[in-house]
Amino acid sequence: MKILITGGAGYIGSHTLRQFLNTKHQICVLDNLSKGSQKALEDLSTIREFQFYKQDLSDFSKVKELLLEEKFDAVVHFAASIEVFESTQNPLKYYLNNTANTTNLIDSCIKSGVKYFIFSSTAATYGEPKSDFVSESSALEPINPYGQSKLMSEEILRAASKAHSGFKHCILRYFNVAGACMDFKIGQRYPKATLLIKVAAEVAARKRDKLFIYGDDYATKDGTCIRDFIHVDDIASAHLAALEYLQHSKSDVFNVGYGHGFSVKEVVAMMKKVSGIDFEVECALRRQGDPSVLISDASKIRKCTSWNPKYDNLELICKSAYEWEKQC
Ligand SMILES: NC(=O)c1ccc[n+]([C@@H]2O[C@H](COP(=O)([O-])OP(=O)(O)OC[C@H]3O[C@@H](n4cnc5c(N)ncnc54)[C@H](O)[C@@H]3O)[C@@H](O)[C@H]2O)c1
């Protein structure tokens, strides 16, 4: 197949690109490099050559022209704005980049005969769930514009696939993505990261002074929030499994997580262990909108697809994040 990966220079996109380059598919990448890494693309081109389009998705006519010309079989769509707090301050950026640009991309896909569309969605579409484990049929009640912008794109995809039988989609709702590839120099590069394992790795690598724990009075075993942390290479392989699934099944949605969680304090202890650095930790007030426990019920993706996660190991996730942080 001829496959377009949008956002392929970003964190999850580059890890997924690496895995697709190890298949026989013909791969093209589109990214505006606003957050992505040219260096990651250069490094990955040593695996195998691929076409790179430095292109912003907001240029609708250029995107349509490209898709009509290249006639992709499948599109794997990562490109988006991803910062929850920023989305509360500048919501229109999120509706424009994540919803409007995605809508145009879907339209171009349908007009150019793309058969399969894989969409990066998020556990943020569930908002503050009533139960600790969320399945794909749990209520979708996002509490910030980021989650809402993704949910709107999900709904647009569902409507588009219903109206156009040749266009199938797979929505992947990721839980807490973390870590870095173990045998290649790619990883997470956000300048002001807020994700726990990335921040803990930065503190351990002496790039920040201390780590804040937001709330230690939750009704959990040690008082801190519990999350389902999943290694980025397992998220990446879910996209290959989703593409395979779509070739013989209908459009669908899957949670991508391990189905169990670790507390913030457990993650901090693990990062200290793998780094050997006893960094400073300070307890701060709870953040608004943080559910105490958020764990995927990921039984559906395991049951329906060939997805076979290989890195369900907190020590390995923290170690890979720390090793990446030391050298990036
Ligand atoms: N990181 C996570 O924990 C997480 C969790 C759930 C869902 N997701 C979703 O996964 C996807 C990838 O996230 P990531 O963590 O790799 O983010 P990232 O910022 O590293 O990657 C996004 C990439 O898209 C590119 N991009 C953004 N807007 C663009 C535009 N208008 N035109 C062209 N390129 C554009 C950026 O340059 C970047 O390379 C996003 O859709 C995000 O919502 C991420």
Side-chain angles (χ1 to χ4, degrees), residues 64 66-69 71-72 107-114:
K64 190 160 289 177
L66 173 73
L67 271 86
L68 286 170
E69 210 164 275
K71 301 235 166 297
F72 298 105
D107 183 49
S108 301
C109 286
I110 291 168
K111 293 196 167 121
S112 65
V114 169

Side-chain angles (χ1 to χ4, degrees), residues 10-12 31-32 34-36 56-57 78 97 146 150 190:
Y11 171 46
I12 304 172
D31 200 299
N32 63 5
S34 57
K35 291 282 157 67
D56 196 298
L57 284 174
F78 293 100
N97 198 21
Y146 168 66
K150 287 283 178 173
Y190 309 127

Side-chain angles (χ1 to χ4, degrees), residues 133-273:
F133 288 84
V134 285
S135 77
E136 291 80 356
S137 55
S138 296
L140 294 165
E141 295 168 333
I143 56 166
N144 49 59
Y146 168 66
Q148 186 67 43
S149 70
K150 287 283 178 173
L151 180 56
M152 286 165 78
S153 296
E154 284 196 12
E155 281 161 5
I156 290 159
L157 264 179
R158 281 187 272 272
S161 293
K162 200 169 166 194
H164 301 275
S165 57
F167 177 73
K168 296 200 272 184
H169 71 266
C170 190
I171 293 163
L172 299 178
R173 293 190 189 129
Y174 317 152
F175 280 65
N176 290 61
V177 189
C181 180
M182 253 84 65
D183 57 4
F184 219 91
K185 288 192 173 66
I186 46 177
Q188 215 169 354
R189 292 177 191 263
Y190 309 127
K192 291 182 200 152
T194 52
L195 302 169
L196 175 65
I197 291 182
K198 167 80 176 162
V199 173
E202 286 179 355
V203 181
R206 303 296 192 212
K207 293 182 180 177
R208 295 191 193 210
D209 295 342
K210 59 182 159 187
L211 181 132
F212 289 96
I213 291 182
Y214 297 102
D216 61 354
D217 56 352
Y218 286 93
T220 57
K221 55 189 172 185
D222 61 18
T224 62
C225 291
I226 295 179
R227 294 289 180 272
D228 186 344
F229 297 98
I230 173 165
H231 191 276
V232 62
D233 273 336
D234 281 335
I235 288 281
S237 65
H239 295 75
L240 281 80
L243 183 58
E244 192 186 297
Y245 174 81
L246 277 183
Q247 289 167 65
H248 57 79
S249 305
K250 60 180 180 30
S251 295
D252 220 329
V253 53
F254 297 107
N255 282 342
V256 195
Y258 291 143
H260 61 83
F262 291 97
S263 74
V264 174
K265 279 189 177 164
E266 285 172 326
V267 169
V268 169
M270 184 58 81
M271 189 57 81
K272 287 185 176 185
K273 181 183 161 195

